[in-house]
Amino acid sequence: MNFSGVRIVLRIFLLMLTCAVALSAQETVHLSIDASKPGAKIDRNIFGQFAENLGHGLYEGIWVGPDSLIPNTRGIRNDVVTALQAIKVPNVRWPGGCFADQYHWRKGIGPADKRPATLNSAWGGVVDTNSFGTDEFMDFMLQIGSQPYVSVNVGSGTPQEASEWLEYMTAAAPTALEKERAANGHPDPYKVGFMGIGNESWSCGGDMTADYYVSQLKIYSRFVDNVNPSQKNANQMLKIAVGPGFPETEWTEAVMKAWKSHDWSWNIDGLSVHWYTTPNGWPVSTPSVGFGVEDYTKTLKSTLFMDDFLRKQEAVMDKYDPEKKIALVVDEWGAWHAPLSGTNKDFLVQQNSLRDAVLAALNLNIFARHADRVRMTNIAQMVNVLQAMIMTDKEKMVLTPTYYVYKMYVPFQDATFVPVDFDPGTLHRDGITLPRIDAIAAKDSSGKLWLEITNLDPEKPVEIDAGFTGLTAKSAKGETLTASAVDSVNTFEKPSTVMPKPVSASVKNGRLTLTVEPKSVTVISLEQ
Ligand code: AHR
């Protein structure tokens, strides 16, 4: 080989070396986890759910009736209950949503054959038998071990109607409503953990101005009460006001300003906000099946706006409430895709893919980082609607990738946030820039440290190298959720395509190393 040949070979070698160094530098993410600086509690209510009377969310998805051939307990599907028990659902918001401001609770109590059929004009104008009403919802809460979060009707109801509903549910003294509940088979008062005062009152809840809503809020907060004696001093019901479903903060300003000067006669404990991931805006158009990496990155970019959205609202809340007495309650969030073809578009049916699982993890991590203010959230929705945990078709049931994320995150419920410092790296795709990695850590009540790592990269694995302050890690184990494609889904025929599987992680000299697969959600526990 002559001199110029040697130079060419050398150049190629140097180029390869540079690429290898760049690649390995890019592909190892170092995490510094400081367990000596605990943060806020990650309230278990952050993992709440939303079950509106919409499409097949309640009817068929949860309620099949006591005479159904589908195995059930007092009309509620056993398969769905068992699945929900495993994810320890802390609270369920019901009956809506937009439906809440059209719901008249009296139509849903008493003997099933005496209940009137009504129209669900919020969602498709379909006939509602009202066979799933208050007592059935409370039974559902009992069966899955969850707390009720009821939304009262401000839009087309009255304070009196709402007050009587709360009395029906919670009275222990022998009032007419208490006796009516007892006659319906429920002598003991129910515990109601949360009450939402209206829903999206700036739109489907009555298209109110902020000032008008505030005047209603004061009245409902004053006159609608939980009268269960066991919730008088401890475990009091939290009252949640309507907040915005848009980044602008005028509505939050109006509610928080009113709250700041409230007198003894009324109060609130939370402000609800709604923020959906709709990468193409409204009307929604992202497909929930058969999409590619471009749609995946676009959707993740869009979902990360949740962080900015919360910061904007929190800045206003901090101004009026620096002690963070009022919780920010994100009681509707999740991916809202185009309806699946062949379904009723008013039933909001969409498939749930690996993309949605990654999206769920990113949002849960954002909520955990905001845990000092965000103390409750409700993903929309629980069964068969939007970003569902569960899908059913007659006797069949399938658990979605999002369900498995909720299952993997159970250890984070009520755990204490632990800061993780890292450079996430960047991912450039189709003109979109994303972080490659996201991570959170938390310590549970037994002192065990839990680490979650999301790899957003659709193609490349990432090496993780983690060091700890304030604990000596001895061993690690965990699970990862991924699949072959960003649009991989679980179906009734193939229910196990996207399921968690064990991941290998090693701890040497107190440092944790593992490889996280592309487009994956990984949860690791560390033994000390
Ligand atoms: O979750 C579906 C709907 O989205 C809810 O009913 C409403 O509150 C929101 O606009």
Side-chain angles (χ1 to χ4, degrees), residues 159-203:
Q160 182 180 356
E161 182 188 13
S163 164
E164 288 175 357
W165 192 20
L166 265 289
E167 188 183 324
Y168 175 83
M169 290 189 277
T170 62
T175 65
L177 285 162
E178 186 271 346
K179 286 184 184 161
E180 195 173 355
R181 189 193 64 232
N184 287 335
H186 307 281
D188 295 333
Y190 298 118
K191 283 191 180 155
V192 177
F194 311 92
M195 177 177 79
I197 302 177
N199 171 75
E200 297 193 353
S201 306
W202 32 267
S203 172

Side-chain angles (χ1 to χ4, degrees), residues 351-497:
Q351 244 303 1
N352 193 298
S353 65
L354 178 61
R355 171 189 60 183
D356 300 307
V358 172
L359 178 157
L362 292 175
N363 280 280
L364 292 172
N365 292 0
I366 292 172
F367 300 147
R369 284 191 276 267
H370 288 257
D372 57 346
R373 180 68 85 176
V374 175
R375 301 198 280 272
M376 178 153 151
T377 90
N378 302 77
I379 189 168
Q381 298 194 8
M382 195 178 229
V383 188
N384 290 334
V385 176
L386 298 177
Q387 190 172 347
M389 303 290 116
I390 294 173
M391 301 185 78
T392 65
D393 179 17
K394 301 187 182 70
E395 76 291 351
K396 291 181 273 189
M397 179 192 83
V398 66
L399 305 175
T400 67
T402 302
Y403 171 90
Y404 287 113
V405 170
Y406 270 69
K407 193 155 185 222
M408 291 165 79
Y409 272 73
V410 166
F412 289 89
Q413 293 197 12
D414 281 344
T416 304
F417 184 82
V418 165
V420 185
D421 192 36
F422 59 103
D423 175 352
T426 43
L427 181 64
H428 301 288
R429 286 292 299 227
D430 308 308
I432 290 174
T433 304
L434 285 172
R436 294 187 70 211
I437 282 288
D438 190 31
I440 59 158
K443 236 181 187 185
D444 70 17
S445 55
S446 73
K448 189 183 270 189
L449 191 101
W450 295 84
L451 172 66
E452 191 284 333
I453 305 159
T454 307
N455 182 1
L456 287 75
D457 195 316
E459 276 136 14
K460 289 188 194 145
V462 174
E463 301 297 326
I464 299 291
D465 161 58
F468 303 88
T469 307
L471 73 87
T472 312
K474 296 225 170 82
S475 64
K477 60 177 185 206
E479 285 189 314
T480 195
L481 183 77
T482 189
S484 59
V486 288
D487 65 341
S488 295
V489 297
N490 292 336
T491 61
F492 298 115
E493 295 72 36
K494 284 190 178 168
S496 314
T497 307

Side-chain angles (χ1 to χ4, degrees), residues 7-50:
R7 270 178 42 180
I8 289 167
V9 170
L10 254 172
R11 272 207 183 145
I12 292 171
F13 176 73
L14 276 174
L15 196 69
M16 282 167 65
L17 199 69
T18 320
C19 284
V21 169
L23 213 66
S24 69
Q26 183 194 13
E27 288 188 350
T28 299
V29 170
H30 302 277
L31 309 179
S32 302
I33 299 161
D34 193 347
S36 70
K37 294 201 181 97
K41 182 175 91 168
I42 303 171
D43 199 306
R44 67 183 192 285
N45 287 307
I46 283 177
F47 301 88
Q49 304 274 330
F50 175 32

Side-chain angles (χ1 to χ4, degrees), residues 76-120:
I76 296 167
R77 299 179 70 121
N78 293 345
D79 52 357
V80 168
V81 166
T82 304
L84 293 172
Q85 283 168 343
I87 58 170
K88 298 194 188 309
V89 179
N91 71 81
V92 181
R93 181 172 182 250
W94 172 85
C98 294
F99 179 78
D101 281 299
Q102 312 188 346
Y103 185 57
H104 300 286
W105 67 274
R106 276 212 152 274
K107 300 191 170 154
I109 57 161
D113 58 348
K114 300 268 176 337
R115 297 186 194 180
T118 51
L119 289 180
N120 184 338

Side-chain angles (χ1 to χ4, degrees), residues 50 52 54 97-98 123 199-200 274 276 332 336 348 380-381 386:
F50 175 32
E52 181 165 12
L54 192 176
C98 294
W123 298 110
N199 171 75
E200 297 193 353
H274 293 176
Y276 285 98
E332 287 188 31
W336 192 323
L348 313 185
Q381 298 194 8
L386 298 177

